[in-house]
Amino acid sequence: MYDLLIKGGKLIDPAQGINGQRDVAVSEGKVAAVAAEIPAGKAKKVIAARGKIVCPGLIDLHTHSADAVIMYGVEPDEDGVYSGVTAVCDCGSTGFANFAGLKKLVVPHAKTDMVCFVALHPTGIAFIPEVWSWREVNRDAILKIIADNPGFVKGIKMRAVGALAETLGLELIKTGKKIASEAGVPVMVHIGQDPPEKVTAELMESLTAGVLSVLDKGDILTHLYSPKFGQVIKPDGT
């Protein structure tokens, strides 16, 4: 006897190459059977899913779920389980100066599984635009956070826009990549911003091209299809 039967839905599971009507049975919190037809009498509870999509738990790769730690943060469950997403990755909302707030104030209260990328900037996106200078880059603090939080901190996040473009530019991206390589984790780099006062389209395009030359397999370019300054798609479509 199964605990739960999700019956008649369209199952989309790319990992198993399934895209069609299937019944899904669950026992003790785990999928116990997947078949074209599982009798309803074999389950304690049945959910009629005809006309609906059934899929493995979705993972939202890019959220800012540091609610109450940064002004731009939302509750992880709003991005997560209340939206059909079982795991979220907080992307650089916090840096070494306020990371503890994310770990102590947010994660313990979330029903949604959480991982994160720690920002190279000490306070993440607590303030936008960020203020960048070399004295704000604390290699040892970042490496310690990554080492102390295996499985939770998945990489380092940087924003190749705004103050970074105006000040340290590609050298800061290279520095962040070097720290990430030391820690054995990838980097995620944000590109694209609205027309700013001090940064030209040409400078942003040059910075994005430089970022691409730094990234390796496994690194992430986020906001790939941004229509803003620094986008990767040129006017001729290339």
Side-chain angles (χ1 to χ4, degrees):
M1 180 69 69
Y2 299 117
D3 295 329
L4 173 68
L5 178 62
I6 305 170
K7 191 164 182 62
K10 181 179 181 181
L11 177 61
I12 300 177
D13 184 351
Q16 299 190 73
I18 299 174
N19 186 352
Q21 185 172 317
R22 299 287 193 282
D23 293 348
V24 179
V26 178
S27 291
E28 297 182 353
K30 295 184 178 181
V31 174
V34 176
E37 178 65 33
I38 300 175
K42 289 189 174 184
K44 298 174 185 176
K45 179 180 179 180
V46 178
I47 295 176
R50 187 170 299 280
K52 301 182 185 299
I53 291 174
V54 179
C55 64
L58 300 175
I59 300 171
D60 192 334
L61 179 66
H62 190 153
T63 72
H64 291 291
S65 302
D67 179 53
V69 179
I70 63 168
M71 68 178 69
Y72 304 99
V74 300
E75 293 184 1
D77 292 336
E78 292 294 334
D79 280 343
V81 291
Y82 300 150
S83 300
V85 172
T86 57
V88 298
C89 179
D90 181 88
C91 291
S93 294
T94 62
F96 65 82
N98 56 354
F99 171 81
L102 175 68
K103 197 72 184 293
K104 293 180 180 180
L105 302 177
V106 180
V107 177
H109 303 290
K111 296 180 176 69
T112 308
D113 290 337
M114 288 188 69
V115 295
C116 81
F117 275 60
V118 65
L120 187 63
H121 187 267
T123 57
I125 59 168
F127 304 100
I128 295 178
E130 306 96 322
V131 177
W132 285 97
S133 72
W134 285 115
R135 64 178 176 271
E136 294 175 328
V137 180
N138 190 325
R139 167 190 170 276
D140 292 342
I142 294 170
L143 289 175
K144 187 176 189 308
I145 284 175
I146 296 172
D148 288 349
N149 296 274
F152 179 65
V153 178
K154 295 294 186 179
I156 294 175
K157 170 75 181 297
M158 294 173 282
R159 287 170 28 92
V161 294
L164 181 149
E166 296 172 25
T167 56
L168 307 181
L170 186 60
E171 288 307 308
L172 188 65
I173 300 294
K174 291 179 178 178
T175 298
K177 173 62 179 174
K178 183 177 180 180
I179 296 171
S181 296
E182 288 185 63
V185 297
V187 298
M188 177 186 289
V189 182
H190 167 127
I191 62 168
Q193 73 172 64
D194 291 317
E197 293 181 3
K198 298 180 181 180
V199 179
T200 65
E202 291 74 20
L203 175 60
M204 292 302 303
E205 289 170 7
S206 175
L207 180 57
T208 294
V211 167
L212 288 168
S213 71
V214 171
L215 301 186
D216 291 322
K217 182 178 180 180
D219 291 329
I220 301 164
L221 191 71
T222 190
H223 306 305
L224 177 64
Y225 298 110
S226 171
K228 303 177 181 181
F229 283 4
Q231 63 178 313
V232 296
I233 301 175
K234 297 178 182 179
D236 64 0
T238 55

